[in-house]
Amino acid sequence: MRVEQDAAWVKFGQSKVNRAIRRRFAVEAELTARPGDARRLLVDYHEHPNIQVQLNAATATLALFPEEARRCQSRGAVEAEQRTGPPVTYLTHIAN
């Protein structure tokens, strides 16, 4: 599902991304509702080759494994910046 979200962004536009994100949240809610909070199963995705998968898994597991999830988020942010350059925000455009 998380790879699908990344692919949809590139290929099909915002409506497909929105559907993928809603499915992601539904899966996370279902995992949270299961006995023992089954989001712990997502930790395996912290090492997935797709950066978007890593970041989504880290976000979903932040409450359960804060240190590991933050390391994963930091690593993903560094990899993303190496691929695309530094993040651009609206503040960047205002300052220039």
Side-chain angles (χ1 to χ4, degrees):
M1 229 182 307
R2 289 159 180 20
V3 173
E4 178 185 336
Q5 177 184 346
D6 196 33
W9 179 264
V10 174
K11 293 181 182 177
F12 304 113
Q14 192 63 44
S15 64
K16 296 240 181 203
V17 172
N18 290 344
R19 281 193 291 275
I21 290 171
R22 283 192 295 273
R23 281 195 305 271
R24 179 186 129 206
F25 290 146
V27 168
E28 287 178 28
E30 172 63 28
L31 291 173
T32 302
R34 291 184 180 187
D37 196 343
R39 287 180 296 171
R40 68 187 180 286
L41 300 172
L42 299 175
V43 170
D44 294 339
Y45 292 101
H46 286 187
E47 301 298 325
H48 194 277
N50 184 287
I51 293 171
Q52 188 64 48
V53 172
Q54 291 177 22
L55 294 174
N56 287 340
T59 301
T61 59
L62 188 59
L64 301 172
F65 307 102
E67 290 180 18
E68 187 175 341
R70 284 192 177 92
R71 274 194 304 272
C72 180
Q73 288 174 327
S74 295
R75 191 174 59 247
V78 168
E79 289 179 30
E81 187 169 328
Q82 288 171 348
R83 289 184 185 184
T84 62
V88 177
T89 66
Y90 72 93
L91 294 177
T92 305
H93 296 290
I94 292 171
N96 293 328

